[in-house]
Amino acid sequence: SPDEAGQLLLEENLAAARWRAGRGRGRLPAGRLLTYRHRPVEDWEPVEVLKAVHAYSHATADSPGWAGSAAHRFTVDVAHAAAQHLPGYAEAPWRWRRPSRPGVPVGLCGTWRPDVADISWTTPTELLQRWAHADAVVLTSEVLEQLPAKLPTRSGPVYLLTRPGGLTPHQWELAGLLGQALLVELPTAAAWLQEQLQPDIGVPQRSPRAGMDHTWVRLRPRPS
């Protein structure tokens, strides 16, 4: 009943007041109530209910038995119910997905510039400036010599493009500095690469399977 719920909250609040008073952090109010009687209140907005729950929780959290108590569980349930009545709550999506970040991948190439659309080919200096935040980074194997030994941390994909024949032993060693890069052999994997570079994808969408017509490898130190 409302009287029982109110009494539960009152007793937990008094327990917190006693705990603080016993440590010199306040005193019990004179003429304090020991019995709760419910008096209806009309026209409370959901946000006002939430604020009242937060204020009560702040005032009662010092109670030694607050965590996991019936009063604590009751306030959590009230706050949950009030939140569901906030304006716009029912219309908001249940699941949230991070918005895609449309952007042109940044690339660095040498004398060989692969015929891949939607890449902003740039200079080594500008590449390093954009390395950490570019949606995708595309490199050709011949520019590995131009990269510093220590690169900034990045979370987006790095695609290392090679021609048939793959990497030389020295290029394998340099490629190991890229960490989790993707080795892509052209022209075999051109269509797959173009798919990955679409603005609303940005990260590899599928793993290699037997029979697929592209090379897809996470770079690791080359076996000796």
Side-chain angles (χ1 to χ4, degrees):
S1 70
D3 285 343
E4 292 172 333
Q7 187 67 36
L8 179 74
L9 297 176
L10 173 62
E11 291 175 0
E12 198 67 45
N13 185 254
L14 286 173
R18 294 190 190 98
W19 187 90
R20 287 192 295 270
R23 287 158 179 77
R25 293 172 50 190
R27 57 184 180 180
L28 292 174
R32 59 189 181 278
L33 292 173
L34 296 179
T35 303
Y36 177 82
R37 290 290 179 265
H38 173 65
R39 290 182 296 171
V41 178
E42 297 180 358
D43 300 326
W44 273 50
E45 295 294 332
V47 68
E48 294 176 305
V49 175
L50 276 173
K51 193 66 172 283
V53 169
H54 293 164
Y56 171 84
S57 300
H58 178 75
T60 311
D62 287 334
S63 169
W66 171 245
S69 67
H72 187 197
R73 294 194 299 272
F74 180 78
T75 57
V76 170
D77 290 342
V78 171
H80 182 72
Q84 292 183 326
H85 287 82
L86 288 171
Y89 181 92
E91 294 76 23
W94 184 252
R95 292 184 177 89
W96 184 87
R97 294 185 62 185
R98 185 180 300 278
S100 61
R101 299 178 303 158
V104 177
V106 60
L108 182 64
C109 66
T111 56
W112 172 49
R113 176 173 293 190
D115 185 16
V116 181
D118 302 323
I119 296 179
S120 174
W121 298 105
T122 185
T123 64
T125 300
E126 185 179 353
L127 175 73
L128 292 178
Q129 292 172 348
R130 299 171 61 183
W131 181 272
H133 304 294
D135 285 359
V137 171
V138 179
L139 306 170
T140 61
S141 56
E142 60 186 335
V143 302
L144 290 172
E145 296 271 7
Q146 302 179 39
L147 300 178
K150 188 173 180 60
L151 290 164
T153 302
R154 63 173 277 105
S155 58
V158 177
Y159 301 94
L160 179 58
L161 312 186
T162 73
R163 287 181 274 198
L167 302 177
T168 67
H170 181 54
Q171 287 174 334
W172 271 108
E173 183 179 349
L174 295 174
L177 302 175
L178 299 176
Q180 294 292 310
L182 298 168
L183 182 64
V184 183
E185 184 179 292
L186 298 181
T188 307
W192 177 86
L193 176 64
Q194 200 70 67
E195 179 184 346
Q196 307 313 305
L197 296 179
Q198 294 303 307
D200 60 343
I201 297 178
V203 295
Q205 297 297 300
R206 57 187 182 186
S207 300
R209 299 188 297 273
M212 294 187 73
D213 59 349
H214 65 264
T215 302
W216 193 99
V217 180
R218 288 196 180 277
L219 290 177
R220 296 180 176 84
R222 187 170 185 266
S224 56

Short mmCIF file of all heavy atoms in Angstrom, two decimals, residues 123-168:
data_model
loop_
_atom_site.label_atom_id
_atom_site.label_comp_id
_atom_site.label_asym_id
_atom_site.label_seq_id
_atom_site.Cartn_x
_atom_site.Cartn_y
_atom_site.Cartn_z
N THR A 123 50.46 13.29 -49.63
CA THR A 123 51.91 13.25 -49.40
C THR A 123 52.21 12.54 -48.08
O THR A 123 51.32 12.41 -47.22
CB THR A 123 52.48 14.68 -49.33
OG1 THR A 123 51.91 15.34 -48.18
CG2 THR A 123 52.13 15.46 -50.59
N PRO A 124 53.45 12.10 -47.88
CA PRO A 124 53.79 11.46 -46.60
C PRO A 124 53.50 12.34 -45.39
O PRO A 124 53.00 11.87 -44.37
CB PRO A 124 55.28 11.16 -46.74
CG PRO A 124 55.50 11.02 -48.22
CD PRO A 124 54.57 12.01 -48.84
N THR A 125 53.78 13.64 -45.50
CA THR A 125 53.55 14.54 -44.37
C THR A 125 52.08 14.64 -44.03
O THR A 125 51.68 14.53 -42.86
CB THR A 125 54.11 15.94 -44.70
OG1 THR A 125 55.51 15.85 -44.94
CG2 THR A 125 53.86 16.90 -43.53
N GLU A 126 51.24 14.83 -45.05
CA GLU A 126 49.81 14.95 -44.80
C GLU A 126 49.23 13.62 -44.32
O GLU A 126 48.32 13.58 -43.49
CB GLU A 126 49.07 15.41 -46.05
CG GLU A 126 47.58 15.66 -45.80
CD GLU A 126 46.85 16.14 -47.04
OE1 GLU A 126 47.52 16.41 -48.06
OE2 GLU A 126 45.61 16.24 -46.98
N LEU A 127 49.74 12.52 -44.85
CA LEU A 127 49.26 11.21 -44.41
C LEU A 127 49.46 11.04 -42.91
O LEU A 127 48.56 10.58 -42.20
CB LEU A 127 50.00 10.11 -45.17
CG LEU A 127 49.65 8.68 -44.71
CD1 LEU A 127 48.26 8.30 -45.19
CD2 LEU A 127 50.68 7.68 -45.21
N LEU A 128 50.63 11.41 -42.41
CA LEU A 128 50.89 11.26 -40.98
C LEU A 128 49.98 12.17 -40.15
O LEU A 128 49.57 11.81 -39.05
CB LEU A 128 52.35 11.57 -40.68
CG LEU A 128 53.37 10.57 -41.25
CD1 LEU A 128 54.78 11.00 -40.94
CD2 LEU A 128 53.10 9.18 -40.69
N GLN A 129 49.65 13.34 -40.69
CA GLN A 129 48.75 14.25 -39.98
C GLN A 129 47.34 13.68 -39.89
O GLN A 129 46.62 13.91 -38.92
CB GLN A 129 48.71 15.61 -40.69
CG GLN A 129 50.03 16.38 -40.61
CD GLN A 129 50.02 17.62 -41.47
OE1 GLN A 129 49.13 17.83 -42.31
NE2 GLN A 129 51.01 18.48 -41.28
N ARG A 130 46.94 12.91 -40.89
CA ARG A 130 45.58 12.37 -40.94
C ARG A 130 45.52 10.90 -40.51
O ARG A 130 44.44 10.30 -40.49
CB ARG A 130 45.02 12.53 -42.36
CG ARG A 130 44.95 13.98 -42.81
CD ARG A 130 44.60 14.09 -44.29
NE ARG A 130 43.30 13.51 -44.59
CZ ARG A 130 42.80 13.44 -45.82
NH1 ARG A 130 43.48 13.93 -46.84
NH2 ARG A 130 41.62 12.89 -46.03
N TRP A 131 46.65 10.32 -40.19
CA TRP A 131 46.74 8.89 -39.93
C TRP A 131 45.77 8.41 -38.85
O TRP A 131 45.05 7.43 -39.01
CB TRP A 131 48.18 8.53 -39.54
CG TRP A 131 48.39 7.08 -39.26
CD1 TRP A 131 48.23 6.43 -38.07
CD2 TRP A 131 48.80 6.08 -40.20
NE1 TRP A 131 48.52 5.10 -38.19
CE2 TRP A 131 48.87 4.85 -39.50
CE3 TRP A 131 49.12 6.10 -41.55
CZ2 TRP A 131 49.25 3.67 -40.11
CZ3 TRP A 131 49.50 4.91 -42.16
CH2 TRP A 131 49.56 3.71 -41.45
N ALA A 132 45.73 9.09 -37.73
CA ALA A 132 44.97 8.60 -36.58
C ALA A 132 43.46 8.68 -36.81
O ALA A 132 42.71 7.85 -36.28
CB ALA A 132 45.35 9.38 -35.33
N HIS A 133 42.99 9.66 -37.60
CA HIS A 133 41.55 9.92 -37.66
C HIS A 133 40.91 9.63 -39.02
O HIS A 133 39.68 9.72 -39.14
CB HIS A 133 41.27 11.38 -37.28
CG HIS A 133 41.81 11.75 -35.94
ND1 HIS A 133 41.33 11.21 -34.76
CD2 HIS A 133 42.82 12.59 -35.58
CE1 HIS A 133 42.01 11.71 -33.73
NE2 HIS A 133 42.91 12.54 -34.20
N ALA A 134 41.70 9.30 -40.02
CA ALA A 134 41.11 8.99 -41.33
C ALA A 134 40.23 7.75 -41.23
O ALA A 134 40.53 6.82 -40.48
CB ALA A 134 42.22 8.77 -42.36
N ASP A 135 39.12 7.74 -41.98
CA ASP A 135 38.24 6.58 -41.96
C ASP A 135 38.98 5.32 -42.40
O ASP A 135 38.78 4.24 -41.84
CB ASP A 135 37.04 6.81 -42.88
CG ASP A 135 36.04 7.77 -42.26
OD1 ASP A 135 36.28 8.22 -41.13
OD2 ASP A 135 35.03 8.08 -42.91
N ALA A 136 39.80 5.45 -43.42
CA ALA A 136 40.59 4.32 -43.91
C ALA A 136 41.89 4.86 -44.50
O ALA A 136 41.92 5.97 -45.04
CB ALA A 136 39.82 3.52 -44.96
N VAL A 137 42.95 4.08 -44.38
CA VAL A 137 44.25 4.44 -44.94
C VAL A 137 44.63 3.37 -45.96
O VAL A 137 44.52 2.17 -45.69
CB VAL A 137 45.33 4.53 -43.84
CG1 VAL A 137 46.72 4.69 -44.47
CG2 VAL A 137 45.04 5.69 -42.90
N VAL A 138 45.05 3.83 -47.14
CA VAL A 138 45.44 2.93 -48.22
C VAL A 138 46.90 3.22 -48.58
O VAL A 138 47.26 4.36 -48.86
CB VAL A 138 44.53 3.11 -49.45
CG1 VAL A 138 44.98 2.18 -50.58
CG2 VAL A 138 43.08 2.86 -49.08
N LEU A 139 47.72 2.18 -48.59
CA LEU A 139 49.14 2.32 -48.92
C LEU A 139 49.50 1.34 -50.02
O LEU A 139 48.94 0.24 -50.09
CB LEU A 139 50.01 2.01 -47.70
CG LEU A 139 49.73 2.78 -46.40
CD1 LEU A 139 50.53 2.17 -45.26
CD2 LEU A 139 50.06 4.25 -46.57
N THR A 140 50.43 1.73 -50.86
CA THR A 140 51.00 0.76 -51.79
C THR A 140 52.32 0.26 -51.20
O THR A 140 52.97 0.96 -50.42
CB THR A 140 51.25 1.39 -53.17
OG1 THR A 140 52.18 2.47 -53.05
CG2 THR A 140 49.94 1.90 -53.77
N SER A 141 52.69 -0.93 -51.58
CA SER A 141 53.86 -1.56 -50.95
C SER A 141 55.14 -0.76 -51.14
O SER A 141 56.03 -0.80 -50.30
CB SER A 141 54.03 -2.98 -51.50
OG SER A 141 54.14 -2.95 -52.92
N GLU A 142 55.25 0.00 -52.23
CA GLU A 142 56.49 0.71 -52.50
C GLU A 142 56.72 1.91 -51.59
O GLU A 142 57.83 2.46 -51.56
CB GLU A 142 56.53 1.16 -53.96
CG GLU A 142 55.40 2.10 -54.34
CD GLU A 142 55.39 2.40 -55.84
OE1 GLU A 142 56.45 2.29 -56.47
OE2 GLU A 142 54.32 2.73 -56.35
N VAL A 143 55.70 2.34 -50.83
CA VAL A 143 55.88 3.51 -49.95
C VAL A 143 56.21 3.10 -48.52
O VAL A 143 56.35 3.96 -47.65
CB VAL A 143 54.63 4.42 -49.95
CG1 VAL A 143 54.32 4.88 -51.36
CG2 VAL A 143 53.43 3.71 -49.33
N LEU A 144 56.35 1.82 -48.26
CA LEU A 144 56.65 1.39 -46.90
C LEU A 144 57.94 2.01 -46.38
O LEU A 144 58.08 2.30 -45.20
CB LEU A 144 56.74 -0.14 -46.84
CG LEU A 144 55.41 -0.89 -47.00
CD1 LEU A 144 55.66 -2.39 -47.13
CD2 LEU A 144 54.48 -0.60 -45.83
N GLU A 145 58.90 2.23 -47.30
CA GLU A 145 60.17 2.83 -46.91
C GLU A 145 59.99 4.26 -46.41
O GLU A 145 60.83 4.77 -45.67
CB GLU A 145 61.13 2.84 -48.11
CG GLU A 145 61.52 1.46 -48.61
CD GLU A 145 62.76 0.94 -47.90
OE1 GLU A 145 63.21 1.61 -46.96
OE2 GLU A 145 63.26 -0.13 -48.29
N GLN A 146 58.91 4.93 -46.81
CA GLN A 146 58.71 6.33 -46.46
C GLN A 146 58.03 6.52 -45.10
O GLN A 146 57.91 7.65 -44.62
CB GLN A 146 57.88 7.03 -47.54
CG GLN A 146 58.47 6.96 -48.93
CD GLN A 146 57.58 7.63 -49.96
OE1 GLN A 146 56.99 8.67 -49.70
NE2 GLN A 146 57.48 7.02 -51.13
N LEU A 147 57.58 5.45 -44.50
CA LEU A 147 56.85 5.56 -43.23
C LEU A 147 57.82 5.52 -42.06
O LEU A 147 58.82 4.79 -42.09
CB LEU A 147 55.84 4.42 -43.10
CG LEU A 147 54.76 4.35 -44.18
CD1 LEU A 147 53.87 3.14 -43.94
CD2 LEU A 147 53.94 5.63 -44.19
N PRO A 148 57.53 6.28 -41.00
CA PRO A 148 58.39 6.24 -39.81
C PRO A 148 58.25 4.90 -39.09
O PRO A 148 57.25 4.20 -39.24
CB PRO A 148 57.87 7.40 -38.96
CG PRO A 148 56.45 7.57 -39.38
CD PRO A 148 56.42 7.23 -40.84
N ALA A 149 59.24 4.58 -38.29
CA ALA A 149 59.22 3.30 -37.57
C ALA A 149 58.10 3.26 -36.54
O ALA A 149 57.57 2.19 -36.24
CB ALA A 149 60.57 3.06 -36.89
N LYS A 150 57.72 4.41 -35.99
CA LYS A 150 56.65 4.46 -34.98
C LYS A 150 55.52 5.32 -35.52
O LYS A 150 55.68 6.52 -35.71
CB LYS A 150 57.18 5.02 -33.66
CG LYS A 150 56.18 4.92 -32.52
CD LYS A 150 56.82 5.34 -31.21
CE LYS A 150 55.85 5.24 -30.05
NZ LYS A 150 55.34 3.89 -29.84
N LEU A 151 54.38 4.69 -35.76
CA LEU A 151 53.22 5.38 -36.30
C LEU A 151 52.21 5.67 -35.20
O LEU A 151 52.13 4.94 -34.21
CB LEU A 151 52.55 4.53 -37.38
CG LEU A 151 53.34 4.37 -38.68
CD1 LEU A 151 52.79 3.21 -39.50
CD2 LEU A 151 53.28 5.66 -39.49
N PRO A 152 51.40 6.74 -35.35
CA PRO A 152 50.36 7.01 -34.36
C PRO A 152 49.36 5.86 -34.29
O PRO A 152 49.15 5.12 -35.25
CB PRO A 152 49.69 8.29 -34.89
CG PRO A 152 50.68 8.89 -35.84
CD PRO A 152 51.44 7.75 -36.42
N THR A 153 48.72 5.72 -33.15
CA THR A 153 47.68 4.70 -32.99
C THR A 153 46.44 5.09 -33.78
O THR A 153 46.06 6.25 -33.82
CB THR A 153 47.31 4.56 -31.50
OG1 THR A 153 48.48 4.22 -30.77
CG2 THR A 153 46.26 3.48 -31.31
N ARG A 154 45.83 4.12 -34.44
CA ARG A 154 44.57 4.37 -35.14
C ARG A 154 43.65 3.17 -34.96
O ARG A 154 44.11 2.03 -34.78
CB ARG A 154 44.78 4.68 -36.63
CG ARG A 154 45.37 3.57 -37.45
CD ARG A 154 45.37 3.92 -38.96
NE ARG A 154 44.09 3.64 -39.58
CZ ARG A 154 43.20 4.55 -39.92
NH1 ARG A 154 43.43 5.82 -39.72
NH2 ARG A 154 42.05 4.21 -40.48
N SER A 155 42.34 3.43 -35.03
CA SER A 155 41.37 2.35 -34.87
C SER A 155 40.79 1.89 -36.19
O SER A 155 40.25 0.80 -36.29
CB SER A 155 40.23 2.81 -33.95
OG SER A 155 39.60 3.97 -34.48
N GLY A 156 40.88 2.73 -37.22
CA GLY A 156 40.32 2.37 -38.52
C GLY A 156 41.24 1.44 -39.29
O GLY A 156 42.39 1.21 -38.92
N PRO A 157 40.73 0.89 -40.41
CA PRO A 157 41.51 -0.08 -41.18
C PRO A 157 42.64 0.55 -41.98
O PRO A 157 42.58 1.72 -42.36
CB PRO A 157 40.46 -0.70 -42.11
CG PRO A 157 39.44 0.38 -42.27
CD PRO A 157 39.39 1.11 -40.97
N VAL A 158 43.68 -0.24 -42.20
CA VAL A 158 44.80 0.12 -43.08
C VAL A 158 44.89 -0.97 -44.15
O VAL A 158 44.97 -2.16 -43.83
CB VAL A 158 46.13 0.20 -42.31
CG1 VAL A 158 47.28 0.51 -43.27
CG2 VAL A 158 46.05 1.26 -41.22
N TYR A 159 44.85 -0.56 -45.42
CA TYR A 159 44.94 -1.50 -46.53
C TYR A 159 46.29 -1.32 -47.22
O TYR A 159 46.64 -0.22 -47.64
CB TYR A 159 43.81 -1.25 -47.54
CG TYR A 159 42.43 -1.39 -46.94
CD1 TYR A 159 41.74 -0.28 -46.46
CD2 TYR A 159 41.82 -2.64 -46.85
CE1 TYR A 159 40.48 -0.40 -45.91
CE2 TYR A 159 40.55 -2.77 -46.30
CZ TYR A 159 39.89 -1.65 -45.83
OH TYR A 159 38.64 -1.78 -45.28
N LEU A 160 47.04 -2.40 -47.32
CA LEU A 160 48.33 -2.39 -47.99
C LEU A 160 48.17 -3.09 -49.34
O LEU A 160 47.89 -4.29 -49.39
CB LEU A 160 49.39 -3.09 -47.14
CG LEU A 160 50.79 -3.18 -47.74
CD1 LEU A 160 51.34 -1.79 -48.06
CD2 LEU A 160 51.72 -3.92 -46.80
N LEU A 161 48.35 -2.34 -50.42
CA LEU A 161 48.11 -2.86 -51.76
C LEU A 161 49.40 -3.38 -52.38
O LEU A 161 50.44 -2.72 -52.31
CB LEU A 161 47.51 -1.77 -52.65
CG LEU A 161 46.33 -0.96 -52.07
CD1 LEU A 161 45.76 -0.03 -53.13
CD2 LEU A 161 45.27 -1.88 -51.50
N THR A 162 49.31 -4.54 -52.99
CA THR A 162 50.46 -5.12 -53.69
C THR A 162 50.04 -5.56 -55.08
O THR A 162 48.86 -5.77 -55.35
CB THR A 162 51.03 -6.34 -52.94
OG1 THR A 162 50.13 -7.45 -53.11
CG2 THR A 162 51.23 -6.06 -51.48
N ARG A 163 51.03 -5.71 -55.94
CA ARG A 163 50.79 -6.30 -57.26
C ARG A 163 51.06 -7.80 -57.18
O ARG A 163 51.56 -8.29 -56.16
CB ARG A 163 51.69 -5.61 -58.28
CG ARG A 163 51.22 -4.20 -58.60
CD ARG A 163 52.08 -3.51 -59.63
NE ARG A 163 53.23 -2.85 -59.03
CZ ARG A 163 53.95 -1.91 -59.64
NH1 ARG A 163 53.63 -1.54 -60.88
NH2 ARG A 163 54.98 -1.36 -59.05
N PRO A 164 50.72 -8.54 -58.22
CA PRO A 164 50.98 -9.99 -58.18
C PRO A 164 52.42 -10.29 -57.81
O PRO A 164 53.35 -9.65 -58.28
CB PRO A 164 50.66 -10.43 -59.62
CG PRO A 164 49.63 -9.45 -60.08
CD PRO A 164 50.04 -8.13 -59.47
N GLY A 165 52.59 -11.23 -56.94
CA GLY A 165 53.92 -11.56 -56.44
C GLY A 165 54.09 -11.20 -54.98
O GLY A 165 54.99 -11.70 -54.30
N GLY A 166 53.22 -10.31 -54.48
CA GLY A 166 53.24 -9.98 -53.06
C GLY A 166 54.41 -9.11 -52.65
O GLY A 166 54.95 -8.33 -53.44
N LEU A 167 54.83 -9.26 -51.40
CA LEU A 167 55.86 -8.42 -50.81
C LEU A 167 57.22 -9.09 -50.86
O LEU A 167 57.33 -10.32 -50.80
CB LEU A 167 55.51 -8.12 -49.34
CG LEU A 167 54.17 -7.44 -49.06
CD1 LEU A 167 53.98 -7.29 -47.55
CD2 LEU A 167 54.08 -6.09 -49.75
N THR A 168 58.24 -8.27 -50.92
CA THR A 168 59.61 -8.78 -50.79
C THR A 168 59.88 -9.04 -49.31
O THR A 168 59.16 -8.54 -48.44
CB THR A 168 60.62 -7.75 -51.32
OG1 THR A 168 60.59 -6.60 -50.45
CG2 THR A 168 60.28 -7.33 -52.75
#
